[in-house]
């Protein structure tokens, strides 16, 4: 399917040139993707629950695996929020990762930052390695390792920033320059930062990937993924992957994600303020031995974070120096932080990476990259900060 369709109601709704390029994030989130409005007057887009479309319809849809007006709507909104020319929607973040890697050939290499989301690692190692795509891992928070990127002859350089769960900040501009110098493309998984806080394409990335399940949808009620790019060549490959591999989302899920995106700016402001307050409490009041939040003034990533993010997101990682059993005991006593995987929803969650999100990474490898058994990752929600503090204090005092 060509990426140059005429209207934004068409498959992979085409986005430019837009009359709204002067709008700020908050306004785009609410007012983009409204092409249905003139015809019907509806203030909120309908959900197009249809698997197929009449042959020869003017918008050019044929079958929902390769496009649906509800996807186009979501794609328009997300492209606007990431400042991108194009966006393609997927069923989940993992589907989006699959789409990108499926564009490679046997013999191609991915150079990835070593602190990688557990399911990305699992896909690289347990699925794509079988097809001859090799992944190698480096500590790209170090400038000298970035300068060595070309030696690995990668087809793709793959980073997250902040990383999960160590919250390392990776220099997106430097990685983009190093990748481009050796003909590789840079993929930034922007899930942890969110579109509101960080714009990977403006920093030089070729692809910005979102698990829209997290801060985009923001309410822990659906799964969705998205990839933004300014490159028409990449866009065509991703649209092909969406339909050829069956990676498309469900209309209802992307409709929920589109609705969630409308309040992303508001939510992120509160996530950020709450997380900053808890990080400061853990560091200065509780005197925890290891606290990571990129917007703490003495965090190793602070200066870089300020140069590429608007503010911190809702994620705080802490080492309470407890055993695995004590850690789980402490976390279970919290009434407001549900012990659960995932992040980025309005409700606070807490995760124990070693037994949850990173259980699929072998223990030696986890320890080698710094994911200790005592590490805890909070996804701070948008509740009242005093309630969150009191809840953690009561859980701690009973430990
Ligand atoms: C959750 C997550 C993914 C995968 O997204 P799903 O929507 O769960 O498939 C990818 N990358 C990061 C950083 C994530 O947090």
């Amino acid at each position: 399917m060509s990426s140059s369709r005429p209207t934004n109601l068409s498959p992979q709704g085409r986005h430019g040139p837009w009359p709204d390029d002067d709008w700020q994030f908050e306004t785009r989130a609410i007012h983009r993707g409204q092409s249905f409005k003139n015809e019907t007057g509806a203030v909120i887009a309908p959900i197009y629950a249809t698997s197929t479309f009449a042959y020869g319809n003017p918008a050019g849809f044929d079958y929902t695996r390769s496009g649906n007006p509800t996807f186009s709507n979501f794609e328009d909104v997300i492209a606007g929020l990431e400042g991108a020319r194009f966006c393609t929607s997927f069923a989940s973040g993992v589907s989006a990762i699959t789409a990108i890697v499926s564009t490679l050939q046997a013999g191609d290499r991915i150079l990835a930052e070593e602190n990688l989301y557990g399911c990305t690692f699992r896909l690289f190692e347990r699925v794509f390695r079988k097809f001859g795509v090799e992944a190698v891992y480096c500590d790209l928070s170090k400038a000298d390792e970035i300068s060595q990127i070309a030696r690995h002859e990668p087809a793709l350089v793959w980073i997250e920033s902040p990383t999960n769960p160590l919250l390392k900040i990776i220099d997106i501009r430097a990685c983009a320059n190093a990748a481009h110098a050796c003909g590789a493309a840079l993929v930034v998984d922007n899930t942890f930062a969110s579109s509101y806080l960080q714009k990977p394409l403006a920093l030089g990335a070729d692809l910005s990937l979102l698990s829209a399940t997290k801060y985009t949808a923001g309410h822990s009620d659906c799964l969705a993924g998205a990839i933004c790019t300014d490159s028409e060549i990449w866009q065509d490959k991703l649209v092909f992957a969406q339909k050829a591999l069956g990676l498309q989302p469900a209309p209802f899920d992307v409709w929920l994600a589109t609705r969630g995106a409308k309040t992303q700016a508001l939510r992120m402001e509160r996530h950020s303020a709450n997380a900053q307050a808890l990080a400061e409490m853990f560091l200065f009041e509780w005197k925890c031995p290891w606290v990571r939040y990129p917007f703490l003034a003495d965090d190793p990533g602070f200066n870089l974070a300020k140069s590429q993010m608007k503010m911190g997101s809702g994620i705080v990682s802490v080492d309470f120096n407890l055993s695995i059993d004590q850690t789980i005991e402490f976390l279970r006593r919290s009434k407001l932080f549900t012990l659960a995987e995932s992040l980025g929803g309005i409700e606070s969650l807490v995760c124990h990476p070693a037994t949850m999100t990173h259980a699929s990474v072998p223990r030696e490898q986890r320890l080698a990259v710094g994911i200790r058994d005592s590490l805890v990752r909070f996804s701070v929600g948008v509740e009242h900060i005093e309630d969150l503090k009191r809840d953690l204090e009561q859980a701690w005092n009973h430990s």
Side-chain angles (χ1 to χ4, degrees):
M1 195 143 308
S2 152
S3 60
S4 51
R5 297 268 167 174
T7 74
N8 73 337
L9 246 191
S10 63
Q12 319 305 329
R14 293 295 38 92
H15 320 294
W18 276 81
D20 62 0
D21 277 349
D22 291 340
W23 286 347
Q24 302 292 318
F25 187 99
E26 292 81 345
T27 315
R28 289 182 183 195
I30 292 169
H31 288 284
R32 277 187 69 140
Q34 299 267 342
S35 53
F36 54 87
K37 215 168 166 180
N38 291 344
E39 294 155 37
T40 63
V43 170
I44 293 298
I47 304 169
Y48 288 85
T50 182
S51 56
T52 193
F53 300 84
Y55 182 77
N57 66 81
F61 289 103
D62 47 37
Y63 188 62
T64 281
R65 182 154 28 76
S66 54
N68 173 299
T70 305
F71 303 175
S72 303
N73 207 257
F74 170 77
E75 289 159 355
D76 285 339
V77 172
I78 303 305
L81 300 189
E82 291 263 331
R85 284 181 69 202
F86 306 112
C87 173
T88 308
S89 54
F90 294 95
S92 64
V94 162
S95 308
I97 296 163
T98 302
I100 295 172
V101 183
S102 78
T103 67
L104 300 181
Q105 320 257 346
D108 281 347
R109 185 173 299 137
I110 303 171
L111 175 76
E113 153 54 40
E114 63 185 12
N115 179 204
L116 201 60
Y117 177 66
C119 300
T120 308
F121 175 81
R122 183 174 61 195
L123 263 181
F124 289 175
E125 293 304 314
R126 307 243 334 247
V127 180
F128 289 108
R129 191 173 286 279
K130 287 188 302 189
F131 297 96
V133 173
E134 183 197 14
V136 294
Y137 304 91
C138 294
D139 182 354
L140 294 177
S141 65
K142 300 200 173 108
D144 57 327
E145 301 225 8
I146 293 180
S147 69
Q148 301 293 312
I149 282 177
R151 288 185 39 188
H152 299 277
E153 300 180 354
L156 290 180
V157 176
W158 196 292
I159 63 172
E160 299 164 20
S161 185
T163 67
N164 173 27
L166 298 173
L167 305 185
K168 292 197 292 184
I169 302 295
I170 311 298
D171 189 336
I172 297 174
R173 290 183 191 89
C175 287
N177 291 338
H180 296 159
C182 61
L186 176 67
V187 182
V188 176
D189 183 331
N190 202 31
T191 304
F192 259 53
S194 81
S195 310
Y196 182 58
L197 301 183
Q198 182 166 272
K199 306 273 189 282
L201 302 184
L203 296 166
D206 299 277
L207 301 172
S208 174
L209 180 154
L210 291 165
S211 166
T213 311
K214 317 290 173 54
Y215 285 119
T216 306
H219 293 72
S220 306
D221 52 9
C222 64
L223 269 75
I227 303 169
C228 292
T229 183
D230 288 334
S231 154
E232 205 154 329
I233 294 170
W234 268 112
Q235 176 64 7
D236 285 341
K237 289 182 189 179
L238 296 170
V239 167
F240 176 80
Q242 183 202 50
K243 77 173 164 189
L245 281 80
L247 301 173
Q248 79 292 338
F252 183 54
D253 277 4
V254 280
W255 183 86
L256 283 172
T258 311
R259 182 175 73 162
K262 292 178 192 295
T263 56
Q264 186 178 135
L266 285 171
R267 288 184 283 107
M268 294 317 296
E269 296 276 347
R270 175 63 77 87
H271 282 300
S272 182
N274 281 355
Q276 180 92 33
L278 286 190
E280 288 172 5
M281 179 186 85
F282 291 135
L283 187 64
F284 301 122
E285 294 172 35
W286 292 31
K287 308 216 185 299
C288 296
W290 186 94
V291 179
R292 280 289 177 275
Y293 187 68
F295 279 71
L296 286 174
D298 58 356
D299 191 275
F302 181 59
N303 286 326
L304 191 53
K306 273 197 306 186
S307 81
Q308 59 188 30
M309 295 176 76
K310 196 181 173 82
M311 59 184 83
S313 75
I315 313 295
V316 181
S317 292
V318 187
D319 190 333
F320 292 99
N321 205 13
L322 300 174
S323 69
I324 289 197
D325 290 350
Q326 289 170 321
T327 304
I328 302 282
E329 261 303 285
F330 160 52
L331 300 178
R332 280 199 192 288
R333 263 193 293 273
S334 161
K335 297 187 176 74
L336 293 178
F337 286 83
T338 304
L339 186 59
E341 295 200 5
S342 199
L343 60 119
I346 47 167
E347 68 296 301
S348 290
L349 300 179
V350 63
C351 162
H352 182 239
T355 57
M356 297 166 68
T357 48
H358 287 68
S360 58
V361 180
R363 185 162 187 271
E364 320 79 73
Q365 188 152 358
R366 281 202 312 264
L367 292 175
V369 303
I371 305 176
R372 297 176 298 279
D373 289 343
S374 48
L375 189 79
V376 172
R377 185 197 78 194
F378 292 91
S379 171
V380 184
V382 300
E383 300 93 336
H384 197 289
I385 185 61
E386 293 307 324
D387 292 331
L388 295 178
K389 283 184 170 176
R390 261 206 313 278
D391 175 60
L392 290 171
E393 275 155 9
Q394 65 79 26
W396 184 253
N397 290 336
H398 290 93
S399 291

